[in-house]
Amino acid sequence: MPPEFVARAYFAFGDCLLQEPESDDKERDAITAFATVIDKFPDSREALLARGKLANCYLARAELDPTQAAAAYTNAAAIYLGFANNKSVEVNIRSQAEVGLAQVREKQAL
Protein backbone atom coordinates (compact mmCIF):
# COMPACT_ATOMS: atom_id res chain seq x y z
CA MET A 1 0.00 0.00 0.00
CA PRO A 2 1.40 3.44 -0.89
CA PRO A 3 2.72 5.39 2.13
CA GLU A 4 0.42 8.37 1.51
CA PHE A 5 -2.60 6.08 1.92
CA VAL A 6 -1.25 4.71 5.18
CA ALA A 7 -0.64 8.25 6.46
CA ARG A 8 -4.19 9.22 5.50
CA ALA A 9 -5.58 6.13 7.21
CA TYR A 10 -3.81 6.87 10.50
CA PHE A 11 -4.91 10.50 10.30
CA ALA A 12 -8.52 9.52 9.57
CA PHE A 13 -8.47 7.02 12.44
CA GLY A 14 -7.29 9.69 14.86
CA ASP A 15 -9.87 12.11 13.54
CA CYS A 16 -12.64 9.51 13.96
CA LEU A 17 -11.63 8.93 17.56
CA LEU A 18 -12.08 12.64 18.22
CA GLN A 19 -15.64 12.48 16.88
CA GLU A 20 -16.68 10.04 19.61
CA PRO A 21 -17.78 11.26 23.03
CA GLU A 22 -14.80 12.54 24.96
CA SER A 23 -12.98 10.04 27.10
CA ASP A 24 -9.41 9.65 28.23
CA ASP A 25 -8.98 6.45 26.20
CA LYS A 26 -10.21 8.07 22.97
CA GLU A 27 -7.91 11.06 23.47
CA ARG A 28 -4.94 8.80 24.20
CA ASP A 29 -5.63 6.66 21.10
CA ALA A 30 -6.05 9.76 18.93
CA ILE A 31 -2.73 11.12 20.24
CA THR A 32 -1.08 7.80 19.34
CA ALA A 33 -2.57 7.85 15.82
CA PHE A 34 -1.46 11.42 15.15
CA ALA A 35 2.00 10.79 16.61
CA THR A 36 2.33 7.78 14.31
CA VAL A 37 1.62 9.95 11.26
CA ILE A 38 4.20 12.50 12.41
CA ASP A 39 6.85 9.85 13.18
CA LYS A 40 6.40 7.60 10.14
CA PHE A 41 5.45 10.18 7.50
CA PRO A 42 7.14 13.42 8.68
CA ASP A 43 7.18 15.13 5.28
CA SER A 44 3.56 14.46 4.38
CA ARG A 45 0.71 16.95 4.44
CA GLU A 46 -1.02 14.62 6.89
CA ALA A 47 1.91 15.05 9.31
CA LEU A 48 1.45 18.81 9.18
CA LEU A 49 -2.27 18.45 9.89
CA ALA A 50 -1.61 15.79 12.54
CA ARG A 51 0.57 18.25 14.48
CA GLY A 52 -2.37 20.63 14.71
CA LYS A 53 -4.72 17.84 15.79
CA LEU A 54 -2.14 16.68 18.31
CA ALA A 55 -1.97 20.15 19.85
CA ASN A 56 -5.77 20.21 20.03
CA CYS A 57 -5.70 16.80 21.76
CA TYR A 58 -3.26 18.06 24.36
CA LEU A 59 -5.49 21.06 24.98
CA ALA A 60 -8.52 18.80 25.44
CA ARG A 61 -6.53 16.37 27.57
CA ALA A 62 -5.66 19.15 29.99
CA GLU A 63 -9.36 19.70 30.58
CA LEU A 64 -10.09 15.97 30.96
CA ASP A 65 -7.30 15.29 33.45
CA PRO A 66 -6.33 18.25 35.66
CA THR A 67 -3.40 16.28 37.09
CA GLN A 68 -1.76 16.35 33.65
CA ALA A 69 -2.87 19.87 32.73
CA ALA A 70 0.49 21.61 33.14
CA ALA A 71 2.32 19.16 30.87
CA ALA A 72 -0.53 19.06 28.36
CA TYR A 73 -0.65 22.85 28.11
CA THR A 74 3.13 22.97 27.66
CA ASN A 75 2.98 20.38 24.85
CA ALA A 76 0.08 22.15 23.12
CA ALA A 77 1.79 25.55 23.37
CA ALA A 78 5.02 24.20 21.89
CA ILE A 79 3.22 22.75 18.88
CA TYR A 80 1.09 25.87 18.35
CA LEU A 81 4.20 28.09 18.58
CA GLY A 82 5.95 25.92 16.00
CA PHE A 83 3.13 26.63 13.55
CA ALA A 84 2.66 30.28 14.41
CA ASN A 85 6.35 31.07 13.88
CA ASN A 86 6.77 29.04 10.67
CA LYS A 87 6.23 31.32 7.67
CA SER A 88 6.30 28.35 5.27
CA VAL A 89 3.06 27.04 6.79
CA GLU A 90 -0.18 28.20 5.17
CA VAL A 91 -1.66 31.32 6.74
CA ASN A 92 -4.91 29.62 7.75
CA ILE A 93 -2.98 26.98 9.69
CA ARG A 94 -0.80 29.63 11.34
CA SER A 95 -3.94 31.56 12.29
CA GLN A 96 -5.54 28.47 13.84
CA ALA A 97 -2.33 27.88 15.78
CA GLU A 98 -2.42 31.44 17.11
CA VAL A 99 -6.00 30.92 18.30
CA GLY A 100 -5.02 27.62 19.93
CA LEU A 101 -2.04 29.28 21.61
CA ALA A 102 -4.30 32.03 22.94
CA GLN A 103 -6.62 29.37 24.40
CA VAL A 104 -3.68 27.67 26.09
CA ARG A 105 -2.41 30.94 27.55
CA GLU A 106 -5.89 31.80 28.79
CA LYS A 107 -6.22 28.40 30.51
CA GLN A 108 -2.76 28.72 32.04
CA ALA A 109 -3.64 32.13 33.47
CA LEU A 110 -6.64 30.77 35.38
Side-chain angles (χ1 to χ4, degrees):
M1 183 174 296
E4 61 270 11
F5 290 145
V6 177
R8 286 184 200 148
Y10 274 111
F11 183 85
F13 177 60
D15 215 22
C16 285
L17 289 169
L18 295 179
Q19 302 304 314
E20 296 293 319
E22 290 187 14
S23 75
D24 196 39
D25 290 337
K26 298 281 187 191
E27 288 288 332
R28 188 179 10 258
D29 291 346
I31 288 171
T32 300
F34 295 132
T36 300
V37 174
I38 294 164
D39 291 343
K40 293 188 178 196
F41 310 97
D43 298 326
S44 68
R45 172 139 176 88
E46 286 76 16
L48 176 69
L49 298 173
R51 283 182 183 86
K53 293 283 189 171
L54 188 59
N56 295 342
C57 285
Y58 284 129
L59 184 57
R61 188 169 188 80
E63 294 174 9
L64 284 174
D65 186 355
T67 63
Q68 296 182 12
Y73 287 139
T74 299
N75 290 335
I79 296 169
Y80 289 137
L81 276 170
F83 279 121
N85 294 330
N86 187 344
K87 300 299 180 195
S88 67
V89 174
E90 298 166 20
V91 71
N92 64 324
I93 294 172
R94 287 196 321 261
S95 297
Q96 290 173 7
E98 289 172 359
V99 170
L101 183 59
Q103 290 174 328
V104 169
R105 296 303 188 221
E106 178 183 34
K107 299 288 186 180
Q108 287 176 319
L110 296 177

